[in-house]
Structures are given as C-alpha cells and as structure tokens.
Amino acid sequence: MRRITFLMFALFLAVIVVSCGDDPQFVPNDDNVATDNDIGNTGNTGDTGNTGNTGDTGNTGDTGNTGDTGNTGDSACDTDSLTTNCSLDSECGACNICVQGKCAKGCTTDEDCKMYSGLKCNTKLFRCTNVYASLMACGEKKCPAGCCIADAGLTAVQCLATPEASKCGLCSNGEIYNGTECIPAVCSTTSDNCPTLNSSSTDPKPECFECKSGEYICKEDEECGTSGVLVNAAQCIPAGQKCVAGVSECCSGMPCVEGYCY
C-alpha cells in the first residue's frame, strides 16, 4: 500500500515537470505584424514628386498668340495722303492710287475689283487690272511697278516700268488710259463694247471687232465680211498642252501664256 502511494506521488511530480518545460510560443497578434509593414510604407512619401505638375506653367507660352496682330496688315496702308494732290500713283503711298489729280484708296484684294467682270487686283500697283491680256503684261509678276496702259481700241495692254503722268493718265480704279481717254481695263463679253472702242478704225471696220473671251481685249473677228466662210479652222488646244502665242487657240478661251494653254 505504501509502495502504491509512492508511485502515484512520483507520477504526479513527473506530470508537473513536463508541463512546466513546454513554454507556450509567443504568437504576435495582427496589430504587431502590421507595424512592421507600416514602416515600409514610409516610402510613399515619394508622392511629393507630384509637385512636378508645376511644369504646367509652360502654358503661359500661349502669349505667343499675340502674333495675330499681323492680321492688321491694313494698318500699313497710307491714310495721311488721301485726297492730297498727285500726278502719279507712286505719290500717294501704300494702297493708294492717283485719280483725277487726287489720292484715293486703291485695291488690296480681288473683292475690290467688281466694277467690271474680268478684273483682278494687282496688289503691287493697287489697281484693278486686266491681268490676262497680252501674256499677262499687267499682272503682278510682269508689272510690279509703273502703270498699265492700253493700245488704241483696247486691242492690247502693256506695262510702263517708268511711269509718266502724260502716258499713265489719272484714271479711276478698273479703268486704263489709251492715250486719249480712260476706258474700262477689260472689254465686255456680254454687251461687247469693242465696236464702240474701235469706232475710229477703218481696217478692219469697227463692227469686225469682238471681245475675246478669257483675255478681255478686243480682237478682230476673222469671219467678219466673209459670207460665213470659216477662216480659222484650226482646232483648239486643251489646257496643259503647248501652244504658240498669237496663233494657237486654247479651248478654255484663255490666251496662250508662256507656251501653254490654261
């Protein structure tokens, strides 16, 4: 009996010793684990890099739009000389011409040249001219200075590089001097004023002149007085093909310019 009691006591002590040796493992709670990660998050301070947006101030470059002031090209026109006395266009300043001895506003665009059909603005001369006739003799390329004049009967036009008051005349815009008077710078293809413009002609007779479509100058009607016989039977030349000035007939009605029909 005593032995049994001793064995039970020894077993009890052994159980206590084993229990005390198994120290419980420390398991960190979720809050402690999170603090480790939170430390790494301090790298997010890199967001301060967003201050780079201040580069938007570059938009102030829009002030370059002030270049639009270039549209005020009309401000380059001379207004001080308007209505002053003159004998030549060159005495009236930019954008102006001499009309009947007084400086007046000239043309700057084709919109200013609607007084007669066929006129275009020679912006070098500020005059509404016949730019198609006589191989574009009065166009900007061939006549950037001086004045345009007409042969008798408006059968041709030419440019005087050195203007003279007695030859240039003091015509209104859209008109041209023919040596004796101011006449329209273009003939009319609808009312055909060529017989009137050539009323003093004897050969050919005035009625044998007609307004040439595309050139707007007076040409002799080669069928006039021929009893209906066609004198010029040559076929017309299409646009873009070579031609001979004064000989070839362009199908478009335009003159032969620099060797080609247009």
Side-chain angles (χ1 to χ4, degrees):
M1 182 68 178
R2 181 178 294 176
R3 180 178 291 180
I4 294 174
T5 301
F6 176 78
L7 290 174
M8 291 180 65
F9 179 75
L11 180 61
F12 176 75
L13 290 177
V15 172
I16 292 176
V17 172
V18 173
S19 298
C20 291
D22 294 333
D23 293 331
Q25 297 296 317
F26 175 77
V27 179
N29 57 35
D30 292 339
D31 292 336
N32 289 333
V33 174
T35 55
D36 290 338
N37 294 332
D38 289 340
I39 294 173
N41 289 336
T42 57
N44 292 334
T45 57
D47 289 340
T48 57
N50 291 334
T51 57
N53 291 334
T54 57
D56 290 341
T57 57
N59 291 334
T60 57
D62 290 338
T63 56
N65 291 334
T66 55
D68 289 340
T69 55
N71 293 332
T72 60
D74 290 342
S75 62
C77 294
D78 184 354
T79 56
D80 295 335
S81 64
L82 291 175
T83 71
T84 59
N85 296 331
C86 60
S87 58
L88 291 170
D89 289 351
S90 57
E91 299 172 1
C92 296
C95 307
N96 303 326
I97 58 175
C98 187
V99 177
Q100 302 301 321
K102 296 288 184 180
C103 290
K105 188 177 183 300
C107 68
T108 54
T109 68
D110 291 341
E111 289 296 312
D112 300 327
C113 301
K114 293 184 175 181
M115 57 282 290
Y116 299 112
S117 178
L119 290 173
K120 297 289 182 182
C121 181
N122 181 325
T123 58
K124 306 293 186 182
L125 303 179
F126 306 109
R127 277 195 176 271
C128 300
T129 62
N130 183 339
V131 301
Y132 301 114
S134 305
L135 301 179
M136 299 185 175
C138 289
E140 292 180 0
K141 183 177 180 180
K142 294 184 177 181
C143 194
C147 71
C148 283
I149 61 173
D151 288 356
L154 192 59
T155 54
V157 296
Q158 55 183 295
C159 178
L160 291 181
T162 303
E164 298 178 30
S166 60
K167 294 181 179 179
C168 294
L170 302 173
C171 302
S172 300
N173 215 349
E175 296 185 346
I176 191 171
Y177 195 60
N178 66 358
T180 56
E181 61 181 341
C182 292
I183 61 174
V186 289
C187 59
S188 173
T189 57
T190 54
S191 60
D192 199 352
N193 53 346
C194 284
T196 301
L197 292 173
N198 290 275
S199 58
S200 60
S201 176
T202 57
D203 186 24
K205 295 180 180 180
E207 59 267 24
C208 289
F209 286 93
E210 63 179 359
C211 187
K212 182 66 175 178
S213 177
E215 290 185 78
Y216 299 100
I217 55 175
C218 299
K219 294 281 190 176
E220 179 186 355
D221 180 1
E222 296 179 349
E223 296 183 47
C224 183
T226 61
S227 302
V229 177
L230 184 63
V231 176
N232 184 10
Q235 294 183 349
C236 64
I237 298 176
Q241 294 189 16
K242 291 184 178 181
C243 56
V244 179
V247 177
S248 302
E249 294 287 338
C250 297
C251 298
S252 63
M254 298 289 289
C256 178
V257 178
E258 298 181 354
Y260 287 90
C261 283
Y262 291 89

